[in-house]
Amino acid sequence: MTIPVNARAVMASRREPPTALDFFPPPPWATRALCELLRERGVPIGGQEVWDPACGEGHMVGPLQEEFWHAEGSDVFDYGRGYRVRDFLDPAGHAYRPDWIITNPPFSVSLEFALTALPLARVRVALLVRSAWLEGTERYERLFGPQPPSIVAMFSERVAMTRGRWDPGASSATSYSWVIWRTTANRGRKPEFTHLPPGTRARCMRPDDARIYGVQTDAPLLALAGA
């Protein structure tokens, strides 16, 4: 069962994951930018199901719930947010086949995430990845050659991610892109390349994002008590 992340601040009951899990929560505005892009292209999402199999604390599931009929989240680690704990790369128990799989995969197993997601999703797969992920012989031979994406959407603005939590004030030198596949073969077609233009961040931010998803600081009285 998916628990709405806007019920209370994400950081209120957080659990620290092992460093090896590459937990870098995406800013919620980056997911809204994907949904905006899909709406502009007339891609129907409102009546469909979506699964984020590396959901962490729900930074992506929350914005997906704003657009999709149902958004499911799971992760290999229990972050204390009520999402199912399961290893997406374990083939056992892959009975759930949503319309979409949308996620920010751990970089170290991002290729494996893509190869696992494509046979499972009924309609499309979208991965938020470093733009440099589009390079590489192995990814071309195993993924992009046999199953080219339909859309590659690069952020013109930086999508800042920090280990362990989303900090709205963070900066980054790393470029990110959405890579989107149709689950029906796109072989022989050239992917559409587009930019998510400047102004996307401001347009897709919400006033309460920092409260719901961002870094939580100690209350002044608690800070004084510990001094």
Side-chain angles (χ1 to χ4, degrees), residues 10 25 71 131 136 162 172 186:
V10 164
S131 299
T162 55
S172 174
N186 199 52

Side-chain angles (χ1 to χ4, degrees), residues 112-153:
E112 289 75 12
F113 258 68
L115 294 172
T116 301
L118 283 165
L120 286 177
R122 297 179 185 275
V123 180
R124 299 196 189 212
V125 171
L127 301 185
L128 179 61
V129 294
R130 302 174 192 175
S131 299
W133 192 76
L134 294 163
E135 304 170 347
T137 301
E138 182 183 10
R139 280 188 286 271
Y140 179 82
E141 291 178 345
R142 296 182 61 192
L143 178 62
F144 296 127
Q147 300 184 83
S150 56
I151 302 174
V152 175

Side-chain angles (χ1 to χ4, degrees), residues 193-209:
F193 178 82
T194 188
H195 280 94
L196 297 166
T200 298
R201 182 182 188 276
R203 188 172 60 253
C204 293
M205 285 279 284
R206 300 291 182 269
D208 58 353
D209 278 350

Side-chain angles (χ1 to χ4, degrees), residues 3-227:
I3 296 178
V5 295
N6 59 0
R8 57 195 175 101
V10 164
M11 303 296 292
S13 60
R14 71 187 316 275
R15 299 177 184 175
E16 291 290 343
T19 301
L21 290 183
D22 286 342
F23 178 47
F24 287 82
W29 68 266
T31 302
R32 296 191 188 105
L34 169 67
C35 295
E36 182 180 82
L37 175 73
L38 297 173
R39 287 197 307 270
E40 289 173 352
R41 280 152 178 74
V43 178
I45 59 176
Q48 298 189 333
E49 296 185 31
V50 60
W51 177 21
D52 177 0
C55 71
E57 295 173 346
H59 293 77
M60 190 172 282
V61 176
L64 291 173
Q65 288 176 330
E66 299 168 6
E67 300 285 347
F68 283 79
W69 172 70
H70 177 72
E72 186 80 16
S74 66
D75 204 288
V76 71
F77 180 78
D78 182 3
Y79 289 86
R81 295 298 301 152
Y83 297 109
R84 288 187 300 164
V85 178
R86 62 180 297 179
D87 183 354
F88 182 62
L89 300 182
D90 182 353
H94 272 165
Y96 181 46
R97 295 199 60 200
D99 300 303
W100 288 72
I101 292 177
I102 299 176
T103 193
N104 170 34
F107 183 78
S108 59
V109 288
S110 51
L111 175 58
E112 289 75 12
F113 258 68
L115 294 172
T116 301
L118 283 165
L120 286 177
R122 297 179 185 275
V123 180
R124 299 196 189 212
V125 171
L127 301 185
L128 179 61
V129 294
R130 302 174 192 175
S131 299
W133 192 76
L134 294 163
E135 304 170 347
T137 301
E138 182 183 10
R139 280 188 286 271
Y140 179 82
E141 291 178 345
R142 296 182 61 192
L143 178 62
F144 296 127
Q147 300 184 83
S150 56
I151 302 174
V152 175
M154 179 183 287
F155 284 93
S156 299
E157 300 164 297
R158 289 297 188 239
V159 180
M161 300 190 203
T162 55
R163 184 181 295 278
R165 64 198 66 208
W166 174 53
D167 181 356
S171 59
S172 174
T174 304
S175 169
Y176 281 87
S177 296
W178 279 108
V179 184
I180 307 165
W181 288 263
R182 297 185 184 93
T183 53
T184 55
N186 199 52
R187 193 175 182 86
R189 300 181 182 179
K190 292 184 178 180
E192 174 195 354
F193 178 82
T194 188
H195 280 94
L196 297 166
T200 298
R201 182 182 188 276
R203 188 172 60 253
C204 293
M205 285 279 284
R206 300 291 182 269
D208 58 353
D209 278 350
R211 176 183 61 82
I212 296 172
Y213 302 102
V215 174
Q216 302 296 302
T217 58
D218 291 334
L221 289 178
L222 293 177
L224 288 173

